[in-house]
Amino acid sequence: MSARALPLLFLNLGGEMLYILDQRLRAQSIPGDKARKDEWTDVDRKRVMNDIISTMFNRKFLEELFKPQELYSKKALRTVYDRLAHASIMRLNQASMDKLYDLMTMAFKYQVLLCPRPRDILLVTFNHLDAIKDFIYESPGILNQVDETFRQLIETYNCLSDGEFQLIRQTLLIFFQDMHIRVSIFLKDKVQNSNGRFALPTSGPVPWGTEVPGLIRIFNQKGMEVKRTEFTTGGNYITPQREGSFELYGDRVLKLGTNMYSVSRPVETHMAGSSKNLASRAKENTVPNPFAKEELNFLARLLGGLDIQKPAGGETGFRLNLFTTDEEEEHAAQTRPEDLSYKVINIEATQEPGRRAELSRILGELEVAEPRPGGAGKGEDLLALMDGL
Amino acid sequence: PVPPGPTSAIPPRGVPVSAATLTSSPRASPLVRHHAATRLHGGGGGPRVSAGGRRAARGSGTGGSGVPGTGRWYRRERALALRSSSSALYNNLAVLCPPARPPRAFGAVHGTTLSLLGPEGPPRQLPARGGGSALSTPLLTQAAWCELPARVLLVLTSQRGVQMYDADGSTLVFWHALDVPEHPAAHSVFARGISVAREHFICVGTSSGAVLVFDIPPKGTNVTLSEVLEQHRDPVTDIAAEQGQALEGAGDLVTADDSGTLCLWSTGEEFTLLGKIPGSGCTCSSVTLWNGIVAAGYGNGQIRLWEAGTGQLRAQVSAHARWIYALDLAPLTGKLLSGAEDSFVHVWKLSRDPDTDDVEIQHCHAECVTDTQVCGARFCDPAGDTFAVTGYDLSEILCY
């Protein structure tokens, strides 16, 4: 519903993706001098992070992203992250990519749900960006891109009212509705129940601007307070200490959106049990917005069209496994429930002439790195690109 | 047609109390402090803690009367399964309850469809109307049954417009399309806020702040847009009609918006704006009107009671720790139900002291819906002896 939810969705999911990739790369990395040709080193890890972050914050890409538009389906958005994850020398199998996307979405769903105020979603975004800046602090060029995005976020969102933020939050919650994939790190921390639902605490600090529940004040006709009574609830709330900072630099106070993964904690998801919610899952929007798909393909195409250094010798690059062993990954691919698979969407031609003209113009300005198969039409080019993923 | 009518609010009789003064400055007059936990008293007129205390206001400070304890007024009964889970939208529970009979039907919005539960037959789903073009199915924002003397209509509001069905959702009676721009603009377009007014109008709010007034014939599909009320500058959140006895000079319809502004209207062939209660930037997500008292639920968890005639603030309750999503009122007893993101549902009792004309609100019951952000709460009978609740991601309606 809100036309301003997509940038927040993209940046936060991207941030979670980077946390997970960083953790896996560190877990699988070997000291440089001991590494074989196909093993990860610290240098490789830094390079992957740099490549992905620099692609994610590409100016033209973000320009498109920040335009007012409706949110896309989970399946459609997944395509963008697929391309983003492959923006470097790293390769992920379908099963690992699925798992990565599951983790990203469940983590951000948790953050959106638990935000004390709808406006705090912005603080969560800033937490992600602060961490991203830490990943690439050695590269001033990319750091600049991230700071630019930070400023654009502040400019676009700081002036929105609480009501508008709640609309953004409600739009994001519709996106995440019915997702109950269990994440081991959440289960261990008792943040998620065994049925996949998040635990909502009824204690702790109230949001900034809210009073601790319990007081009733009565006023007379002249507006003078004449009585106070108190009531008790089951909750156990306290007043908050301070508000988080919405500036470029500052203490965000809120912990949501900070990196909860560390090298020693493996990240696992559980597929079994989430199918219990099959009955309650309404069918996904069966008539997807053709404009949304073309727009999204444009985003995906933008990512694909950027100049990416391919590894020497035409190798397929280093493969990252999100599971502990190759066998596990193979098994996960075969046992993934049907309703949870992210099928790549089919591209349909759209009839709207104005939009195609605009897209064609922008596409014409981009440098396309990969060869075009035999001069076929635009639709077929995109199809070929998608098939090549 | 744009309604005529005054655009300035009627100045209240007393000193206007703004939200800022309420929370910051110390009070000069002595207060009586009571510690009243949820009390046990019989339905209807029980002893009131307030009466004794207030009359001894000046200096004596007697302790609270009433039995401290967790007097439980309600118990959890059954859970009704929905076909799909409920979305996090304001006032997301519709109940059709004919008088003196058990509730006939329930409805909760899930994304692009309305999940319906009737008295018999399996649960069903009613989709939002696309509006005819090749665009994707729009999202619904709210649904409510509108009970008029001759008929009951089920009204759905969405990003595209307003759909009106007959009570069981089987026949589309009327469709009103909103002006939706070609390409999405920064400000979203949607309809939200549904209420009956004066027994033959249905009022629907929109994201531009305009309130559409539809004239409903006793039967047939000849629904017409009778007026467009343009007083709100922010998206409308909720609309409520007077459920008891309107006071003289007070309105019989209240509309609320994202900025917390409340408008009071007198309804009729032409709607007239009687007064405006300015918001303080905190969204009013839900509102009810009863015997000249406006009860409004806000994003900062507060419930405020306003005098409909003068716009004077009469009570302020720090009711919830998170955004309030739903309020409902039982007209026979003045019970008020509130549900919020903090997982709690509270039942309150509104009343008016006949001697002092003071408005009273007492806490009756608290219910915690574990691990659920409540988005819909409604009484299932006019006395408020039963109520139903649903929450985000919950595929059930919980009955108490």
Side-chain angles (χ1 to χ4, degrees), chain B residues 318-395:
Chain B
S318 307
H320 289 273
R322 292 266 194 289
W323 204 284
I324 293 180
Y325 261 61
L327 280 188
D328 196 27
L329 192 122
L332 288 185
T333 51
K335 281 202 207 143
L336 183 72
L337 183 68
S338 66
E341 280 177 6
D342 64 354
S343 307
F344 279 94
V345 173
H346 290 295
V347 182
W348 316 83
K349 181 99 163 37
L350 300 190
S351 57
R352 207 189 263 278
D353 185 313
D355 303 319
T356 62
D357 210 28
D358 273 350
V359 171
E360 272 292 316
I361 176 167
Q362 293 151 7
H363 183 254
C364 304
H365 184 83
E367 200 64 53
C368 180
V369 189
T370 319
D371 296 338
T372 305
Q373 294 194 345
V374 175
C375 59
R378 292 250 181 234
F379 282 119
C380 295
D381 66 283
D385 292 328
T386 53
F387 62 86
V389 166
T390 190
Y392 171 65
D393 251 356
L394 207 58
S395 305

Side-chain angles (χ1 to χ4, degrees), chain A residues 78 92-100 322-323 328-334 336:
Chain A
R78 148 85 196 253
L92 288 165
N93 282 347
Q94 175 86 339
S96 277
M97 190 63 220
D98 284 344
K99 179 173 171 179
L100 177 63
L322 251 78
F323 299 82
E328 235 187 87
E329 190 185 42
E330 179 70 33
H331 183 255
Q334 286 165 355
R336 192 178 180 87

Side-chain angles (χ1 to χ4, degrees), chain B residues 10 33 36 38 69 107 187 247 254 265 285 305 320 322 325 353 364 366:
Chain B
I10 294 172
R33 265 189 177 269
T38 55
H187 292 284
L247 298 186
V254 60
W265 307 85
S285 41
L305 302 182
H320 289 273
R322 292 266 194 289
Y325 261 61
D353 185 313
C364 304

Side-chain angles (χ1 to χ4, degrees), chain A residues 1-4 67-71 106 109-110 112-119 156 160-180 191-193 195-237 277-292 295 350-352 354-355, chain B residues 13-17 21-25 27 29-38 49-50 53-54 57-58 69 82-90 109-113 125 134-137 139-141 159 182-190 192 234 258 281-283 299-302 307 310 312-323 325 341-344 346 348 352 356-363 366 368 370-373 392-395:
Chain A
M1 248 178 314
S2 171
R4 285 195 260 235
K67 287 189 183 153
Q69 55 196 309
E70 295 282 321
L71 270 192
M106 285 311 283
K109 175 175 183 175
Y110 172 68
V112 172
L113 205 55
L114 261 82
C115 258
R117 305 171 297 178
R119 183 176 295 276
T156 315
L160 294 188
S161 69
D162 286 340
E164 282 172 300
F165 268 111
Q166 182 64 281
L167 190 68
I168 289 174
R169 182 171 175 276
Q170 290 174 344
T171 310
L172 292 173
L173 286 177
I174 291 175
F175 180 87
F176 291 123
Q177 197 149 351
D178 300 323
M179 284 194 69
H180 301 295
V191 145
Q192 195 179 23
N193 299 326
N195 61 4
R197 288 166 189 275
F198 290 118
L200 301 180
T202 55
S203 57
V206 288
W208 190 261
T210 296
E211 289 174 1
V212 174
L215 190 61
I216 300 174
R217 300 161 83 179
I218 307 285
F219 305 93
N220 66 10
Q221 301 277 17
K222 298 191 181 62
M224 292 216 314
E225 187 174 323
V226 294
K227 187 157 68 81
R228 282 187 175 205
T229 50
E230 285 179 17
F231 65 95
T232 53
T233 66
N236 184 16
Y237 296 101
N277 297 296
L278 257 178
S280 64
R281 280 173 71 96
K283 287 197 177 23
E284 269 252 12
N285 188 355
T286 47
V287 183
N289 181 352
F291 300 144
E295 188 77 43
T350 173
Q351 302 305 312
E352 223 259 335
R355 190 151 275 242
Chain B
R13 262 183 280 143
V15 175
V17 185
T21 41
L22 291 174
T23 50
S24 51
S25 56
R27 309 308 304 181
S29 59
L31 298 169
V32 178
R33 265 189 177 269
H34 293 267
H35 288 267
T38 55
V49 173
S50 51
R54 204 160 4 93
R58 304 279 158 190
L82 290 168
R83 262 189 86 178
S84 48
S85 61
S86 308
S87 290
L89 298 163
Y90 303 141
V109 172
H110 169 101
T112 57
T113 61
Q125 282 175 313
L135 302 170
S136 59
T137 323
L139 293 170
L140 287 173
T141 55
Q159 287 178 282
E182 268 288 320
H183 300 299
H187 292 284
S188 330
V189 172
F190 53 86
R192 183 175 60 187
D234 295 275
D258 254 5
C282 197
T283 302
N300 62 0
Q302 277 186 358
E307 198 76 64
T310 61
Q312 183 67 250
L313 178 69
R314 299 310 302 274
Q316 180 169 296
V317 185
S318 307
H320 289 273
R322 292 266 194 289
W323 204 284
Y325 261 61
E341 280 177 6
D342 64 354
S343 307
F344 279 94
H346 290 295
W348 316 83
R352 207 189 263 278
T356 62
D357 210 28
D358 273 350
V359 171
E360 272 292 316
I361 176 167
Q362 293 151 7
H363 183 254
C368 180
T370 319
D371 296 338
T372 305
Q373 294 194 345
Y392 171 65
D393 251 356
L394 207 58
S395 305

